[in-house]
Amino acid sequence: MPTNILRGDNVKPKGRRPLRVAGEVRQVVIRAGKVVIRARLLETVTAERIWQQLPIYSTAETWGQAVHFETPVETGRERTAKHNIKAGEIGYWTEDDRVIVGFGMTPISKAGEIRMPSPVNIWAMAMDDVTALASVRPGERVSVLAADS
């Protein structure tokens, strides 16, 4: 992935969301089918890019005990990207421009781990129990909205 994507040289934000204010805690609401998960954004390039693209509407797909969905966001892999995540960490899968939320074993997990298909950027932390996503079925509608929306 070209580094200009991480630097922002080719990013044209929608301009609908204000830039980050120092000390501000930003939150989103992720709705997938009937499940609602609140999440706190981290201070990362990926979180900023997702924030600038809100609202995001998509369709859920599942992969083992993970839900993922396509986004209009483009960004490169961050230095802190990781293959194994913890329940509650919300990732961005850079190769496919997708948000992915693991809540248990995926088809490539070993015992006791939540292994993503490739290293993902962690951009948010769930404030609610992500195991509720087990009820989400492929094809259900997904939205990511600013919590103040």
Side-chain angles (χ1 to χ4, degrees):
M1 176 85 29
T3 57
N4 62 340
I5 290 177
L6 275 177
R7 285 195 313 263
D9 296 346
N10 65 347
V11 175
K12 297 174 182 79
K14 289 182 181 179
R16 294 188 292 200
R17 299 237 145 255
L19 294 176
R20 178 150 172 71
V21 176
E24 174 189 27
V25 176
R26 297 180 294 180
Q27 296 178 5
V28 294
V29 175
I30 301 171
R31 296 180 193 272
K34 295 180 182 178
V35 178
V36 178
I37 303 287
R38 295 169 303 137
R40 176 182 50 81
L41 272 66
L42 302 176
E43 293 187 29
T44 68
V45 171
T46 301
E48 184 62 36
R49 298 233 167 126
I50 288 171
W51 182 256
Q52 291 300 319
Q53 291 292 323
L54 297 179
I56 295 171
Y57 300 98
S58 193
T59 304
E61 295 184 42
T62 58
W63 186 58
Q65 293 180 319
V67 171
H68 59 96
F69 54 91
E70 189 174 32
T71 72
V73 178
E74 291 184 14
T75 192
R77 187 180 295 168
E78 297 177 8
R79 289 185 181 140
T80 57
K82 53 190 192 173
H83 227 112
N84 291 338
I85 67 167
K86 297 176 185 162
E89 292 180 322
I90 301 175
Y92 179 81
W93 184 3
T94 60
E95 288 80 3
D96 286 345
D97 299 334
R98 293 177 169 273
V99 166
I100 186 165
V101 185
F103 52 91
M105 292 183 71
T106 66
I108 61 172
S109 292
K110 294 178 183 172
E113 69 180 15
I114 304 172
R115 182 174 288 269
M116 298 291 96
S118 62
V120 297
N121 298 340
I122 304 301
W123 62 274
M125 293 298 298
M127 299 165 60
D128 299 305
D129 183 5
V130 293
T131 60
L133 293 168
S135 68
V136 175
R137 299 292 167 245
E140 290 191 296
R141 295 182 61 140
V142 176
S143 64
V144 183
L145 307 169
D148 63 341
S149 296

